[in-house]
Amino acid sequence: QTAYNEEQFFLSVDTYQGLGLSQRVMNYLCFLNTKVLFKYIREEPRLYPDAYTPIGAHVNYHPEKPQRMVDIFKHYQQGERGVLERWNGGEGLKLSNECKFQGVRPDSAASRVDPLVRALVRAGKAVWGGVRWMRFGADGVLTTPWGVGTWGGVPDARRGTHVWLNFFSDTRHLLELDGELPDAAADGGVAPFA
């Protein structure tokens, strides 16, 4: 597809004679790709879910092509509402059920019994996948290289090994401790996350 597009747009120069094709650009809202559908159309209440139907959709932006095609067909051809909401604007499904719990703020009574939350508040910072620093405030404020957000403990069986982070486009991340709880005297008390 790239070679075709490049040849099509390559102009005549010197001794090279271009193809001489005339170009027409279609309305990207009528003939859309899945990036436009899942990142923009779906978030526009004037167009979605019922006020607009595209003429065609090229399912080329996301890796889950067959599954998304089925859901696009169900939504626009069979009138089944809600099927497109399960997909993320990028790759994969929207947040799994395990990330939909109500997070526990680090300054809450429930978090004070969570050893990982206590260690993070004490250390104040952590490494995530080698990236420095994720800074954890006792008030639930998270500061990352990608922006500011919130964080807290996990109110279930994963208490002590997981924390939730919410930042960058309101995306919830569930982080698992990689190794042992940080010792305040060792490594500056820094918690490593996988």
Side-chain angles (χ1 to χ4, degrees):
Q1 182 176 352
T2 302
Y4 172 80
N5 289 340
E6 287 178 2
E7 180 64 27
Q8 182 178 347
F9 286 100
F10 196 68
L11 301 174
S12 298
V13 291
D14 297 328
T15 60
Y16 175 78
Q17 179 64 39
L19 296 177
L21 297 174
S22 61
Q23 305 292 324
R24 284 186 25 190
V25 178
M26 294 184 279
N27 183 326
Y28 67 92
L29 293 176
C30 295
F31 301 92
L32 53 82
N33 70 6
T34 50
K35 179 179 183 178
V36 172
L37 175 60
F38 286 98
K39 286 186 170 277
Y40 304 107
I41 299 297
R42 196 176 53 168
E43 305 302 327
E44 177 52 63
R46 292 176 294 175
L47 299 175
Y48 185 83
D50 297 315
Y52 154 85
T53 301
I55 295 169
H58 183 192
V59 183
N60 64 335
Y61 182 75
H62 300 89
E64 318 85 11
K65 291 172 180 49
Q67 301 93 332
R68 287 187 189 245
M69 280 193 270
V70 168
D71 285 348
I72 292 168
F73 182 81
K74 285 179 182 177
H75 177 81
Y76 286 112
Q77 296 299 313
Q78 296 176 339
E80 193 174 322
R81 298 301 180 240
V83 292
L84 299 183
E85 280 73 14
R86 71 187 189 115
W87 294 105
N88 196 338
E91 184 176 329
L93 297 173
K94 279 192 175 178
L95 300 174
S96 303
N97 287 338
E98 69 176 7
C99 294
K100 290 195 185 243
F101 57 81
Q102 288 297 314
V104 179
R105 287 178 42 96
D107 56 357
S108 69
S111 279
R112 285 194 276 280
V113 299
D114 186 327
L116 178 56
V117 170
R118 287 197 323 261
L120 285 171
V121 168
R122 189 172 52 249
K125 61 185 178 180
V127 176
W128 180 17
V131 176
R132 299 173 187 259
W133 292 107
M134 309 289 283
R135 299 194 181 276
F136 295 84
D139 57 355
V141 173
L142 171 73
T143 306
T144 76
W146 308 281
V148 176
T150 54
W151 77 282
V154 180
D156 59 23
R158 295 165 294 191
R159 177 180 290 149
T161 60
H162 291 74
V163 292
W164 61 267
L165 312 177
N166 200 14
F167 67 98
F168 190 69
S169 299
D170 201 31
T171 300
R172 171 97 31 115
H173 302 274
L174 188 64
L175 268 57
E176 181 177 10
L177 181 66
D178 186 18
E180 299 297 317
L181 278 174
D183 181 348
D187 297 327
V190 174
F193 289 100

